[in-house]
């Protein structure tokens, strides 16, 4: 009998075989049944969690809630780290770590009325999907590994992290991946963010955000007429910058999202501010947009100085000054198309009959992906809409498919300890 040559590399076929073998195991079948039976409990967790405010930089109460749940489920070494991330571990036999995380924070300020409610399978209210659904799935997965003693060689690190949204600027994930304890041991990361099962985010969208401030002497609208006006400068800069051409491929966008300035209708303002968001799948396009923004600001300042110059002494110093402060800088990048985590996610989707496409987005996965590490972001199941609005909703129908998907991806990533 001739021997079959040993396949040394982990080919697509062996990954799908592995997925099929895991999915057919008695423990996994029981876990998936349990997911279905537990849906009303999952919805309760989600509602309870969404009722706890978690504005950017104010995630403590939600973190405490999650830490308590982690302990109740039986995770070990449950603790909060230096920036407020909540970590809990399910140790494996090897020193490798597979990380699964969901962000705790919402975009809503602390004063937002959180009218969280349920009508049948539909849950509504700010943050109910993004990211109460992610945290709920994180808990469901942690519970399944504990309750059904699912095998895993690598340790599983469960994280509810702070600072994903807006000015949080991925600080929770940045902290994890700068911690010597984790940055070298985490082999792969799965980020749970928002609803659905139809995407795999493996391309990290980069962005850079600025707060632009223009300051002047200010004055009385009547008696100091002619003094340089920071609001006019900001308005002019927006007008100039908004004419910047952007490419559709690589897709590049900009937004002026906030403007502020002035004190009263009869005062020349002493300052004016705008916040600008630049995004592109290409880092060089972000550089180019930044340059255009600086040019627009420079030109707007010059035009305002020229406009007001006749009323002033010619040898006077310019009245205006400006600064552009970086308030967000999310590194971009993308996984190699043959990355192991992608092959696993695709094999799991093929096995469970889920149709998902690769997506480029800005998520917590930006940090590991930009460091050349394997990471993806996937949805937490069900369906949702109205993200970042007070009308946000989440429908729990089909959540169990996402849980099965996430479970199999993690088991495959962590390896079988049997
Ligand atoms: Zn999110």
């Amino acid at each position: 009998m001739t021997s079959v040559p040993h396949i040394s590399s982990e080919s697509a076929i062996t990954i799908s075989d592995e997925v099929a073998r895991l999915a057919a195991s008695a423990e996994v079948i029981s876990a998936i049944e349990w997911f279905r039976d537990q849906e009303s409990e999952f919805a309760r967790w989600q509602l309870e969690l969404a009722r706890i405010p978690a504005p950017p930089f104010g995630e403590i109460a939600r973190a405490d809630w999650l830490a308590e749940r982690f302990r109740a489920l039986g995770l070990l070494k449950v603790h909060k780290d230096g920036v407020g991330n909540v970590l809990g571990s399910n140790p494996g036999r090897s020193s490798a770590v597979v990380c699964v995380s969901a962000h705790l924070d919402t975009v809503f300020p602390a004063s937002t009325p959180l009218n969280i409610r349920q009508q049948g399978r539909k849950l509504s209210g700010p943050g109910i999907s993004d990211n109460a659904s992610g945290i709920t799935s994180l808990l469901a997965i942690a519970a399944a590994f504990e309750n059904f003693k699912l095998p895993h060689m690598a340790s599983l690190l469960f994280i509810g992290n702070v600072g994903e949204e807006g000015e949080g600027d991925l600080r929770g994930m940045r902290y994890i991946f700068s911690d010597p304890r984790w940055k070298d041991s985490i082999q792969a990361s799965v980020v749970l963010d928002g609803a659905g099962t139809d995407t795999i985010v493996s391309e990290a969208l980069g962005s850079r955000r600025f707060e632009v401030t223009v300051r002047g002497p200010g004055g009385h609208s009547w008696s100091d007429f002619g003094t340089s006006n920071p609001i006019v400068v900001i308005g002019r800069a927006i007008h100039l910058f908004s004419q910047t051409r952007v490419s559709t491929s690589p897709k590049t966008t900009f937004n002026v999202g906030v403007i502020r300035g002035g004190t009263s209708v009869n005062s020349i303002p002493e300052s004016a501010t705008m916040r600008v968001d630049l995004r592109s799948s290409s880092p060089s396009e972000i550089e180019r947009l930044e340059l255009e923004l600086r040019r627009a600001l420079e030109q707007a300042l010059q035009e305002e100085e020229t406009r007001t110059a006749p009323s002033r002494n010619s040898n006077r110093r310019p009245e205006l000054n400006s600064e552009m402060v970086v308030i967000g800088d999310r590194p971009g990048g993308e996984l190699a198309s043959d990355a192991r985590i992608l092959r696993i996610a695709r094999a799991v989707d093929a096995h469970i009959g889920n149709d998902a496409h690769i997506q480029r987005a800005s998520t917590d996965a930006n940090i590991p992906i930009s460091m050349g590490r394997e990471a993806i972001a996937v949805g937490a199941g069900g369906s949702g809409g109205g993200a970042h609005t007070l009308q946000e909703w989440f429908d729990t129908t089909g959540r169990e498919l996402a849980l099965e998907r996430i479970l199999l991806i993690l088991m495959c990533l962590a390896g079988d300890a049997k």
Side-chain angles (χ1 to χ4, degrees), residues 3-329:
S3 67
V4 177
H6 180 70
I7 301 166
S8 58
S9 71
E10 193 184 26
S11 69
I13 292 166
T14 64
I15 289 181
S16 26
D17 287 350
E18 177 66 359
V19 170
R21 191 183 64 77
L22 288 170
S25 70
E27 306 100 305
V28 170
I29 290 170
S30 309
I32 289 163
E33 256 166 46
W34 182 80
F35 285 148
R36 229 170 279 135
D37 296 344
Q38 286 298 108
E39 179 44 51
S40 56
E41 177 71 0
F42 297 156
R44 257 196 302 280
W45 286 348
Q46 195 170 343
L47 292 163
E48 201 176 317
L49 176 77
R51 288 191 178 111
I52 305 170
F57 301 93
E59 301 98 336
I60 293 175
R62 206 174 269 202
D64 288 341
W65 181 93
L66 185 63
E68 212 171 286
R69 293 275 157 193
F70 274 179
R71 287 193 190 97
L73 293 178
L75 292 184
L76 301 181
K77 296 181 187 165
V78 175
H79 69 285
K80 275 194 275 182
D81 69 13
V83 290
N85 297 317
V86 180
L87 295 87
S89 174
N90 180 335
R93 291 203 207 145
S94 77
S95 57
V97 174
V98 169
C99 164
V100 51
S101 66
H103 70 84
L104 288 162
D105 57 317
T106 71
V107 295
F108 301 99
S111 58
T112 309
L114 298 178
N115 179 19
I116 307 293
R117 58 215 182 273
Q118 177 173 25
Q119 280 174 298
R121 291 172 164 185
K122 193 171 176 187
L123 316 180
S124 314
I128 193 72
S129 176
D130 182 13
N131 195 25
S133 71
I135 294 283
T136 302
S137 289
L138 182 75
L139 284 170
I141 295 291
F145 271 101
E146 294 289 340
N147 296 351
F148 298 94
K149 306 283 171 240
L150 302 174
H152 53 96
M153 188 67 110
S155 291
L156 298 172
L157 178 65
F158 294 89
I159 302 177
N161 61 280
V162 298
E164 192 273 340
E165 299 285 4
E167 284 135 51
D169 205 28
L170 310 182
R171 72 196 163 93
M173 258 323 196
R174 274 183 222 270
Y175 190 85
I176 297 287
F177 280 89
S178 64
D179 185 336
R181 211 168 0 151
W182 303 121
K183 76 175 181 4
D184 298 321
S185 58
I186 295 176
Q187 311 278 296
S189 309
V190 177
V191 170
L192 310 178
D193 200 343
T197 45
D198 56 344
T199 57
I200 303 171
V201 176
S202 65
E203 302 179 355
L205 175 62
S207 67
R208 200 170 294 163
R209 292 161 179 175
F210 294 93
E211 181 167 275
V212 180
T213 303
V214 175
R215 293 188 187 85
H220 191 280
S221 63
W222 172 257
S223 53
D224 297 312
F225 181 68
T227 301
S228 302
N229 185 324
I231 288 182
V232 171
V233 176
I234 290 288
R236 211 183 287 262
I238 292 170
H239 170 71
L240 292 166
F241 178 63
S242 62
Q243 295 168 64
T244 304
R245 286 177 179 274
V246 290
S247 71
T248 47
S249 177
K251 185 174 176 182
T252 302
T253 65
F254 59 79
N255 182 50
V256 180
V258 177
I259 53 172
R260 272 201 314 264
T263 50
S264 74
V265 69
N266 56 346
S267 305
I268 298 165
E270 289 179 70
S271 76
T273 294
M274 65 172 162
R275 291 187 161 192
V276 186
D277 172 51
L278 313 178
R279 298 188 185 217
S280 180
S281 47
S282 150
S284 65
E285 283 300 296
I286 292 181
E287 295 293 332
R288 190 179 66 82
L289 277 185
E290 177 180 342
L291 202 65
E292 291 296 338
L293 181 61
R294 288 186 188 282
R295 271 200 202 123
L297 177 63
E298 210 39 58
Q299 189 179 336
L301 284 161
Q302 268 169 22
E303 285 178 12
E304 181 65 0
E305 294 284 358
T306 309
R307 184 182 75 84
T308 56
S311 67
R312 290 187 283 119
N313 203 324
S314 58
N315 58 11
R316 245 176 85 183
R317 287 191 312 157
E319 289 182 332
L320 296 167
N321 64 71
S322 70
E323 62 175 345
M324 244 173 82
V325 176
V326 176
I327 54 169
D329 195 2

Side-chain angles (χ1 to χ4, degrees), residues 191 193-202 345 349 354-361 376-380 405 409:
V191 170
D193 200 343
T197 45
D198 56 344
T199 57
I200 303 171
V201 176
S202 65
D349 279 334
N354 183 49
D355 199 10
H357 61 276
I358 297 292
Q359 199 181 43
R360 184 183 293 275
I376 54 171
V378 293
R405 183 186 192 214
I409 292 173

